[in-house]
Amino acid sequence: MGGNEHADVVVVGSGFGGAVTAYRFAEAGHRVVLLERGKAYPPGSFARSPTEIAANFWDPSQGRHGLFDVWSFADFEAVVSSGLGGGSLIYANVLLRKDEKWFVRDAPAGEGYENWPISRADLEPHYAAVEKTIGVQRFPKGQPRYQASRRTELLEQAGERLGYTAEQPPLAVTFGVGGDAPVPGAPIGEPAYGNIHGRPRITCVLCGECDLGCNYGSKNTLDHTYLSAAVHHGANVRVHHEARSITPRDGGGYTVGYVVHTPGDVVATSALPQRTITCDRLVLAAGTLGTTYLLLRNRAALPGISRMLGRRFSGNGDLLGFVSGVPGPALGSAHAPVITTAVRVPDAVDSHGGHAGGHTGGRGGPGADRGCYIEDAGYPGFAEWLVEAANLDNEASRIVRTVYELIRSRLTGGPSRQIGALVGRLLGPGEASAGAMPLLGMGRDIPTGKISVRDDYLQIENYPADSQPYFERLDRLMEDLAEEMGGKYHRNPLTLLSRVITVHPLGGASMGTDITTGVIDEWGEVFNHPGLYVADGAALPGPVGANPSLTIAAFADRLAEHAVDAGPVLETQP
Ligand SMILES: Cc1cc2nc3c(=O)[nH]c(=O)nc-3n(C[C@H](O)[C@H](O)[C@H](O)COP(=O)(O)OP(=O)(O)OC[C@H]3O[C@@H](n4cnc5c(N)ncnc54)[C@H](O)[C@@H]3O)c2cc1C
Ligand code: SF4
């Protein structure tokens, strides 16, 4: 313990919530210190060999300080990221706005209702600000040198034939520079605020490796954008720093206890010496799981915090499926970024309005009329290792199997199966190639999950419980699309084991209109704890439906703007 360091604002985590708030506070002249537990990944540093990937997990007690943080809960798995830039390092770049009518306002009742205290109109200027700072472009489908990705066109056409809307969604990827025609491999110039890595970046070379980290700097990840801008404005960004404790200070502000990791050292986090920093404002942006864990773990130090803490967890309705045997030329899965097309399937609220008040498809609703998005997924993504693990019989396969075993060893309670082998058996030998691709589904599941901490471990129960009708509909829709593409649909084997895997965990410290319905207000401030904010996915009171990062970033931008305009924090603790 010890140290007298003080900052105006401490930000915990450097994903969408943390990077945006750090930048906005620093730009406004506040002294900002950002604590990120993971390391920095300049272009060229992302793992590619099976041996490197096998070690690329977050588990400090085993000496692993890598990029992928895999969680296993009672009925589902979750994958998040650990590194400077958070989930942007491994995400599939899709930056969609949340549908206007999906900001539903159910009457509060039971566990799974949604009541968004903000609307699309509230976020609109912030969506625009984030899109501008990150830089979004659409996949240049059909243009010279971008024609090899047949899956882009096939999924779009299949979706439209079934009567849905389909588009190339906005991507946080640079294909062309400064309004020039897109061209792979062109140099990307540095913005006026510079770049924290100081390494050259080039336009997308269409390798399909976005979920493993972009070694070319073509993804406009948060380290290249918001975090570089934050540092330019004086923010002090520290990697390997993990926040552990939060204590309100007499007279206002907070003391944050943190530990410093040394990559490669085999030390349990709880055994590391704790240091402290004080601040006037504390922004929690450690991701849905990280922030909710921090708040639950420190609950005793936060009297009067809402009883809604840990409630309203949603996996954003994530479901993974596979198509194989699509006839004709190869799908060209490795010739484009991971996601290039999004098919939107409507929701019952689209026709009768999400803001009308009353019940709009919450817990009591059938679930079968809840909207969703279905997107293509290129190879190689993380699912690819599992497929290949089942089909290869060599050294690489053995190592990849070991990676899977690492994941499996963290499963608790559920049936233990070799998922890679299951996928391989389903697809058959050789089908994990030309005519096959994963489909990624997501949408308006029911946020019934309950997060708790037992023996210092995070637990999530009661999810996906009531969302079963939603998942069944999504599964049927993916099957329809697969057949429309002329291929054969394969359910994710995890679904066969009644488990799902989410890469979009949300909720746990969500916003509400008052302390009985939420942990934070619509500006991200924790009820009864002035100056303490939640700026990440934990803040959302239900599924986004579409990919959530842009909505998280826009919420964080709105939070920071309001806090900066509000001036010094007023002391009103109970
Ligand atoms: C494979 C994959 C593909 C995806 N594709 C998309 C996509 O195309 N579009 C989309 O919108 N979303 C996508 N997502 C989801 C997206 O990554 C997340 O929704 C988003 O990153 C969440 O932002 P956040 O600010 O809530 O937290 P995160 O981005 O998860 O950031 C949290 C950060 O906090 C750090 N941290 C955690 N605990 C602590 C602590 N105690 N102290 C210090 N630091 C801490 C973590 O290391 C991490 O860097 C994808 C996710 C995955 C895994
Ligand atoms: S396809 Fe390859 S080069 Fe393009 S953004 Fe993804 S990882 Fe980077």
Side-chain angles (χ1 to χ4, degrees):
M1 285 287 229
N4 300 316
E5 194 181 14
H6 184 82
D8 296 335
V9 184
V10 167
V11 177
V12 177
S14 66
F16 288 88
V20 171
T21 46
Y23 163 67
R24 290 298 304 254
F25 279 112
E27 184 201 27
H30 296 256
R31 283 172 301 152
V32 174
V33 171
L34 183 147
L35 308 176
E36 165 56 53
R37 66 179 177 168
K39 61 182 177 182
Y41 291 88
S45 67
F46 290 102
R48 282 298 182 271
S49 73
T51 318
E52 288 171 338
I53 288 173
N56 201 17
F57 287 83
W58 179 259
D59 189 352
S61 65
Q62 299 296 314
R64 294 190 179 93
H65 297 85
L67 188 56
F68 293 92
D69 187 10
V70 182
W71 296 69
S72 188
F73 300 109
D75 296 309
F76 70 99
E77 269 65 60
V79 180
V80 297
S81 168
S82 180
L84 190 63
S88 77
L89 298 173
I90 59 170
Y91 83 150
N93 320 304
V94 177
L95 289 182
L96 280 167
R97 298 184 184 195
K98 179 175 168 70
D99 293 73
E100 186 175 354
K101 290 187 173 171
W102 296 11
F103 287 84
V104 291
R105 291 195 177 164
D106 292 334
E111 286 294 339
Y113 72 90
E114 272 181 74
N115 195 336
W116 289 72
I118 55 170
S119 67
R120 166 84 172 244
D122 291 325
L123 289 186
E124 220 63 274
H126 306 283
Y127 277 137
V130 173
E131 285 162 350
K132 187 168 173 213
T133 303
I134 290 184
V136 294
Q137 298 184 3
R138 292 178 197 259
F139 179 64
K141 182 193 75 169
Q143 294 199 30
R145 305 182 69 177
Y146 297 89
Q147 289 154 345
S149 175
R150 195 168 153 250
R151 64 181 155 99
T152 304
E153 193 99 44
L154 274 182
L155 182 63
E156 186 180 358
Q157 290 168 352
E160 286 174 351
R161 279 199 301 275
L162 290 172
Y164 307 123
T165 49
E167 63 167 344
Q168 277 63 64
L171 299 180
V173 174
T174 303
F175 297 103
V177 179
D180 290 351
V183 57
I188 301 173
E190 245 182 42
Y193 51 72
N195 187 297
I196 49 177
H197 299 305
R199 297 255 183 105
R201 302 173 60 201
I202 57 172
T203 55
C204 177
V205 298
L206 308 169
C207 66
E209 296 171 2
C210 317
D211 286 347
L212 299 176
C214 181
N215 270 333
Y216 306 93
S218 321
K219 284 175 64 165
N220 305 333
T221 47
L222 296 164
D223 45 346
H224 298 309
T225 56
Y226 272 103
L227 293 166
S228 287
V231 169
H232 174 75
H233 287 289
N236 184 327
V237 172
R238 301 175 188 173
V239 292
H240 308 309
H241 285 53
E242 179 170 352
R244 298 282 290 166
S245 66
I246 305 166
T247 319
R249 301 175 76 209
D250 290 342
Y254 296 87
T255 301
V256 181
Y258 66 90
V259 297
V260 182
H261 293 282
T262 305
D265 277 8
V266 183
V267 187
T269 304
S270 56
L272 290 167
Q274 191 155 301
R275 310 173 189 193
T276 57
I277 180 171
T278 58
C279 54
D280 300 333
R281 285 189 164 101
L282 173 58
V283 179
L284 299 180
T288 291
L289 305 178
T291 287
T292 309
Y293 172 73
L294 269 176
L295 286 171
L296 284 167
R297 190 169 192 269
N298 291 282
R299 190 174 206 154
L302 299 168
I305 197 164
S306 169
R307 293 173 65 184
M308 294 304 290
L309 180 60
R311 300 298 182 90
R312 243 193 266 298
F313 174 85
S314 154
N316 203 40
D318 284 7
L319 189 69
L320 187 65
F322 299 88
V323 190
S324 74
V326 177
L331 294 180
S333 290
H335 297 291
V338 165
I339 292 174
T340 59
T341 295
V343 174
R344 179 189 184 278
V345 179
D347 189 296
V349 299
D350 292 352
S351 48
H352 56 78
H355 288 281
H359 199 81
T360 53
R363 180 189 162 91
D369 55 2
R370 289 177 161 254
C372 60
Y373 284 80
I374 298 170
E375 299 167 358
D376 58 334
Y379 289 162
F382 66 91
E384 170 76 347
W385 323 331
L386 302 180
V387 176
E388 295 304 331
N391 288 322
L392 297 177
D393 188 20
N394 55 23
E395 179 69 3
S397 166
R398 193 185 58 72
I399 293 168
V400 175
R401 279 171 205 264
T402 308
V403 174
Y404 174 69
E405 284 302 322
L406 178 76
I407 297 173
R408 202 190 66 170
S409 70
R410 298 177 66 161
L411 301 186
T412 53
S416 165
R417 306 278 168 85
Q418 190 14 306
I419 295 168
L422 272 171
V423 176
R425 247 178 270 142
L426 278 170
L427 295 184
E431 288 207 57
S433 55
M437 68 181 220
L439 288 175
L440 306 174
M442 65 201 78
R444 287 197 55 234
D445 63 359
I446 303 179
T448 49
K450 289 185 195 166
I451 312 178
S452 58
V453 170
R454 270 179 242 145
D455 298 330
D456 214 20
Y457 283 99
L458 203 69
Q459 317 273 338
I460 304 182
E461 288 154 327
N462 209 33
Y463 181 83
D466 291 7
S467 298
Q468 210 53 38
Y470 155 84
F471 281 111
E472 284 165 14
R473 180 194 193 204
L474 181 51
D475 207 37
R476 282 196 304 276
L477 290 164
M478 297 212 280
E479 184 164 14
D480 291 348
L481 280 168
E483 285 173 5
E484 199 59 40
M485 292 169 73
K488 189 173 164 210
Y489 181 62
H490 307 272
R491 259 173 209 103
N492 178 356
L494 282 169
T495 321
L496 301 179
L497 304 175
S498 295
R499 300 179 71 84
V500 292
I501 182 163
T502 181
V503 294
H504 300 134
L506 300 171
S510 60
M511 64 181 118
T513 46
D514 58 47
I515 197 166
T516 65
T517 58
V519 177
I520 56 173
D521 65 17
E522 65 166 290
W523 306 106
E525 196 165 18
V526 176
F527 288 117
N528 282 332
H529 291 282
L532 178 61
Y533 302 86
V534 174
D536 55 20
L540 304 190
V544 170
N547 319 60
S549 298
L550 182 62
T551 298
I552 296 168
F555 173 75
D557 192 66
R558 184 172 184 265
L559 175 164
E561 184 178 276
H562 183 262
V564 165
D565 289 351
V569 182
L570 295 174
E571 173 59 30
T572 59
Q573 292 188 14

